[in-house]
Amino acid sequence: MTTTQHKTACTRDCPDACGLIATVENGTVVRLDGDPDHPVTQGFICGRTRRFPERQNSSERLTKPLLRRQKSGSFDAIEWPAALDLAAENLIRFKQESGGTSIMQYRCGGSLGIMKHVGDYFFERFGPVTEKSGDVCTGAAEAAQLEDFGTFESNDYFDLHNAKTIFLWGKNVSVSNIHLIPELKKARANGTRIVLIDPIHHQTTAVSDCYIQPRPGGDAAIALGIAACLLKEGGWDPDASGYCDHHDRFQQLVRSHTPEEWARAADISLDQLRMLAAEWSNGPTCSLIGWGLQRRKFGATSIRAIDALVAVTGNLGITGGGASSYFGRRTAFDFSFSNPAVCPRRIPEPLFGPGVMQAADPPIRMMWVWAANPVAMLPESETVAEALRSREFTVVVDPFMTDSAQCADLILPTTTMLEEDDLVGAYGHHYVGAVNKVVEPPKGVLTDHEIFRELSRRTGHAEEFDVETEVWRKRLLSRIDAEGATEQLMTEGFVRNPFTPEILFADRVFPTETGRVNLIQELPEELTTPETDRGLRLTALSTSKSQASQWPTESQEGPAEAVIHPDAAGDHADGDVVSISSTEGTMQVRLKHDARQRPDVLLMEKGGWHSKGRSANALVPAEVTDNGECAVYYDTVVRLEG
Ligand SMILES: Nc1nc2c(c(=O)[nH]1)N[C@H]1C(S)=C(S)[C@@H](COP(=O)(O)OP(=O)(O)OC[C@H]3O[C@@H](n4cnc5c(=O)[nH]c(N)nc54)[C@H](O)[C@@H]3O)O[C@H]1N2
Ligand SMILES: Nc1nc2c(c(=O)[nH]1)N[C@H]1C(S)=C(S)[C@@H](COP(=O)(O)OP(=O)(O)OC[C@H]3O[C@@H](n4cnc5c(=O)[nH]c(N)nc54)[C@H](O)[C@@H]3O)O[C@H]1N2
Ligand SMILES: [Mo]
């Protein structure tokens, strides 16, 4: 038996982008560990990726292209050359008949590998084709911070150790960003206070000194309420009007309600609000803003309110401060070959289902879905499924038979992250990683890149695209290379993005039009007034058990679990199976009582399979947030039936 160990990096959709050590025995990956040398990974990885070898070696891996010859028929295995010929013929035919926009390509978080952009570029050159706009993951936060600060970035990951207080705004670090846990513990041991604001009670309370459970969407009222307390008691930066636009207007907004009214709008007590203001004023205060709170109707506004509080209290441009919501994971790489602006038509990602169905002039005739499972993960699962099924030709590229693959005409099996060379940047820190092939794929299975190489030969784009992965990696790395950082990346497996400063806006100059912070000037009434009669809000969140819909098949049997406060359960006992319904439909769930939750939320795990009746997104209507075209995932009102 030969046992070898290989360094690589994780490309699963996660802020941590870990350095990995893969142990391979006789050509099979038997173990994944965290790279002990990686500054963020520090030798440990999450449970879901520790279990990745099960997925990697699963007998459910797709190994042959599958073709459905008739819309309602079953799939037949076909050979690769025939599958690729058919895919290319259809691409060419639809483009000739109806133009490039009659084809849509859709990709989401299946892999954060930077090489995947080369596939996007193939479609840009071949078409251009119809693409998505916005982003169901972080669209609202991005739009908000671009508007306020002119950039979507963060202070260095480790700068939180210079904070006296850390505010976790709706962040379940224990599930979605686990490498922060040891950092938070270390900061706490050094006397830093940790405040968690989240309508859902979860494990991250265990590392917090103070936990506040406001109403869903209560963050803007809290931010302005804190600002109102500090306006009275001191705590605003006297220089704020020097680097913030609309300073007077923002003060008026803050003063438009009393602290008591702001507290009531957030459904917390005045004492709690005062306590938050006291914690806040013990600065520097670092805000680590989670991704959940912006997936609401007024998600961008909530982020803007937090940004404004951070700005006027002098927490920008200093060590230990910041409004950290995202790290620019692509900024280290060279994408100068591509020009996404040529895309002639985009469909907002949250509106994918109805958007694809309704697109006209030309209609979308062909769909290419890869590194995504939109049926399970986008709003209105059934409309998304119908949108895929009703195209003239839908191709899904995935290593597994997903809800979306089941709606395809042609399924192309592809490799996992352990079977290809790539690069990765993180959205939770500033290290980039080298992704290395650690094992051979199952016989015949092609990487996405190899599929595009094959297509390019058939569509007349071979000169540009039929080249080795290594050629593209070099091209993507040219900026890093110019900084002399490639060698460390390739030998150690990671390097800090050489283009990002430790502290953002250190000179208090902002890349906005005026060079100043753009403070928010008004709030919609829904955020400033207490809500009445809200009903239960369906909240399907990340779970430590899976990466989005990438569950083991056996976990998807029976009704999905729905956690609610016993007072919200009516006569239904813990363990009862009940129907829940929204304007979009009905599904069966098994109730679990949890008295720590608010009575106005119903909590589920995200990524349940639609084919098994477990997709919360079957009940979520397709809607966009106030800005940035993020999906409104957590504002769906559901009723318990019977
Ligand atoms: N194990 C695991 N890890 C993952 C993923 C996974 O599927 N499984 N998914 C990955 C993905 S795709 C992403 S984008 C990232 C981030 O994944 P997310 O799951 O978005 O991570 P969080 O930032 O923790 O945001 C969720 C938190 O926001 C809170 N929240 C919801 N609404 C509100 C609100 O109105 N106000 C406040 N204050 N809080 C609110 C929720 O209660 C929850 O605690 O994590 C990645 N990590
Ligand atoms: N209700 C609800 N819905 C949500 C969310 C929520 O919090 N609540 N979160 C949203 C968020 S933040 C996100 S980012 C999205 C995630 O949505 P998706 O990215 O669509 O989610 P996944 O289920 O991970 O689907 C990725 C697919 O890519 C496949 N894959 C993996 N590697 C590769 C590869 O190299 N090539 C190809 N071709 N395929 C590959 C996987 O097998 C998997 O089937 O979901 C969103 N949906
Ligand atoms: Mo995401």
Side-chain angles (χ1 to χ4, degrees):
M1 189 167 74
T2 55
T3 303
T4 49
Q5 289 200 317
H6 309 257
K7 268 199 183 202
T8 183
C10 185
T11 62
R12 306 187 93 183
D13 189 342
C14 174
D16 294 8
C18 287
L20 298 177
I21 310 273
T23 305
V24 177
E25 275 176 17
N26 296 332
T28 302
V29 178
V30 293
R31 212 186 139 88
L32 286 181
D33 291 283
D35 181 352
D37 299 327
H38 191 290
V40 175
T41 308
Q42 297 186 18
F44 77 97
I45 59 170
C46 65
R48 73 189 188 288
T49 299
R50 185 167 274 289
R51 287 189 302 273
F52 191 78
E54 287 166 30
R55 193 169 167 81
Q56 168 72 22
N57 304 319
S58 162
S59 58
E60 292 177 20
R61 283 280 301 271
L62 299 175
T63 53
K64 280 254 180 171
L66 297 172
L67 177 66
R68 198 199 310 268
R69 293 178 206 275
Q70 276 165 347
K71 277 288 175 192
S72 53
S74 54
F75 288 105
D76 296 325
I78 60 167
E79 295 303 321
W80 272 101
L84 293 161
D85 285 349
L86 187 63
E89 278 161 26
N90 276 300
L91 284 170
I92 292 165
R93 177 165 69 90
F94 289 117
K95 184 181 170 188
Q96 267 170 3
E97 289 178 5
S98 310
T101 39
S102 67
I103 301 161
M104 178 172 183
Q105 74 119 347
Y106 175 71
R107 167 169 93 79
C108 192
S111 164
L112 299 190
I114 294 297
M115 276 297 295
K116 302 298 169 189
H117 291 270
V118 178
D120 298 341
Y121 180 50
F122 171 79
F123 285 110
E124 180 187 316
R125 299 289 289 154
F126 169 80
V129 303
T130 299
E131 310 249 358
K132 69 153 194 170
S133 61
D135 190 278
V136 294
C137 181
T138 51
E142 176 170 12
Q145 295 213 322
L146 288 178
E147 206 173 341
D148 294 342
F149 306 143
T151 186
F152 193 36
E153 252 295 355
S154 294
N155 283 356
D156 189 76
Y157 177 79
F158 296 104
D159 184 56
L160 64 88
H161 292 299
N162 299 315
K164 279 222 178 87
T165 305
I166 296 173
F167 266 58
L168 299 173
W169 296 89
K171 214 171 154 66
N172 189 359
V173 183
S174 312
V175 167
S176 60
N177 201 178
I178 64 163
H179 291 83
L180 264 182
I181 294 281
E183 303 306 327
L184 293 176
K185 285 186 175 159
K186 198 162 36 156
R188 224 175 150 198
N190 289 330
T192 300
R193 299 268 302 169
I194 298 181
V195 177
L196 171 66
I197 299 173
D198 201 311
I200 306 290
H201 185 282
H202 51 66
Q203 268 175 299
T204 304
T205 51
V207 292
S208 309
D209 297 287
C210 166
Y211 169 52
I212 299 288
Q213 196 169 22
R215 74 150 155 122
D219 306 270
I222 291 182
L224 295 208
I226 294 175
C229 294
L230 298 182
L231 200 53
K232 275 193 179 159
E233 290 148 28
W236 278 45
D237 181 359
D239 297 332
S241 61
Y243 56 86
C244 297
D245 285 328
H246 320 300
H247 186 258
D248 289 350
R249 190 65 202 89
F250 179 65
Q251 276 202 356
Q252 273 173 30
L253 174 62
V254 168
R255 286 207 178 93
S256 66
H257 293 71
T258 62
E260 197 169 3
E261 287 167 342
W262 286 123
R264 216 177 309 132
D267 198 19
I268 64 173
S269 70
L270 180 59
D271 282 349
Q272 286 177 317
L273 182 65
R274 287 209 178 110
M275 181 185 64
L276 288 174
E279 296 277 8
W280 187 275
S281 58
N282 179 29
T285 301
C286 163
S287 283
L288 302 180
I289 307 171
W291 292 278
L293 67 107
Q294 43 103 51
R295 297 188 196 116
R296 295 193 177 277
K297 193 170 168 207
F298 295 108
T301 303
S302 295
I303 301 286
R304 294 203 61 203
I306 297 168
D307 288 350
L309 172 67
V310 174
V312 300
T313 53
N315 282 300
L316 289 179
I318 61 164
T319 179
S324 174
S325 142
Y326 183 83
F327 293 70
R329 68 179 181 88
R330 300 184 190 86
T331 58
F333 304 103
D334 184 355
F335 297 110
S336 58
F337 49 84
S338 147
N339 177 16
V342 300
C343 174
R345 176 166 72 182
R346 291 183 185 270
I347 292 177
E349 189 177 17
L351 310 182
F352 180 98
V356 169
M357 301 284 279
Q358 289 155 17
D361 298 329
I364 291 165
R365 300 180 64 188
M366 175 169 175
M367 178 70 71
W368 190 283
V369 174
W370 56 305
N373 185 7
V375 172
M377 300 317 296
L378 296 185
E380 283 183 38
S381 297
E382 193 43 45
T383 318
V384 174
E386 192 47 32
L388 298 187
R389 285 193 292 252
S390 56
R391 295 314 92 197
E392 288 171 60
F393 197 66
T394 290
V395 180
V396 173
V397 187
D398 205 289
F400 288 89
M401 180 61 88
T402 63
D403 283 341
S404 303
Q406 283 173 24
C407 300
D409 299 286
L410 177 66
I411 304 173
L412 300 178
T414 192
T415 48
T416 69
M417 64 172 174
L418 301 176
E419 296 162 352
E420 62 183 333
D421 292 326
D422 206 328
L423 297 162
V424 69
Y427 60 94
H429 57 77
H430 281 131
Y431 288 86
V432 300
V435 180
N436 299 310
K437 178 178 182 174
V438 299
V439 277
E440 289 300 323
K443 197 164 170 296
V445 170
L446 302 182
T447 66
D448 287 302
H449 180 58
E450 285 165 340
I451 291 171
F452 290 116
R453 286 183 69 173
E454 292 286 345
L455 289 178
S456 75
R457 279 186 220 144
R458 291 163 169 84
T459 60
H461 296 80
E463 201 182 328
E464 199 167 6
F465 291 95
D466 189 16
V467 294
E468 299 294 325
T469 303
E470 213 36 47
V471 174
W472 279 107
R473 274 224 284 204
K474 283 215 173 81
R475 206 161 159 182
L476 290 160
L477 283 172
S478 65
R479 297 184 66 230
I480 292 185
D481 205 40
E483 298 294 313
T486 313
E487 197 189 328
Q488 188 195 335
L489 176 62
M490 288 309 175
T491 51
E492 292 179 41
F494 54 85
V495 72
R496 193 177 183 285
N497 181 341
F499 307 105
T500 46
E502 298 267 325
I503 304 298
L504 276 182
F505 324 125
D507 45 9
R508 292 247 165 98
V509 173
F510 299 84
T512 54
E513 258 174 41
T514 62
R516 293 141 59 92
V517 177
N518 176 27
L519 295 179
I520 189 170
Q521 300 178 64
E522 54 189 8
L523 289 187
E525 211 181 290
E526 284 96 324
L527 296 185
T528 60
T529 46
E531 272 188 353
T532 49
D533 187 23
R534 266 170 290 147
L536 282 170
R537 291 200 194 198
L538 172 61
T539 315
L541 294 172
S542 296
T543 156
S544 53
K545 290 177 237 160
S546 84
Q547 175 71 47
S549 69
Q550 301 176 42
W551 295 90
T553 304
E554 61 276 12
S555 72
Q556 295 299 295
E557 295 306 329
E561 186 176 87
V563 177
I564 55 170
H565 191 282
D567 291 351
D571 296 333
H572 302 294
D574 187 87
D576 278 2
V577 174
V578 302
S579 293
I580 57 171
S581 63
S582 74
T583 52
E584 298 309 310
T586 300
M587 71 188 286
Q588 296 249 298
V589 294
R590 185 179 298 281
L591 291 184
K592 186 176 170 192
H593 288 191
D594 182 351
R596 297 167 306 177
Q597 301 304 342
R598 290 176 56 95
D600 54 2
V601 295
L602 181 141
L603 186 59
M604 289 181 67
E605 292 171 325
K606 86 175 187 193
W609 293 0
H610 187 48
S611 53
K612 301 283 187 177
R614 294 171 64 107
S615 171
N617 286 329
L619 302 189
V620 174
E623 246 185 284
V624 292
T625 50
D626 51 352
N627 202 352
E629 296 177 331
C630 190
V632 183
Y633 278 120
Y634 313 135
D635 276 337
T636 305
V637 174
V638 288
R639 281 187 304 124
L640 298 190
E641 304 280 336

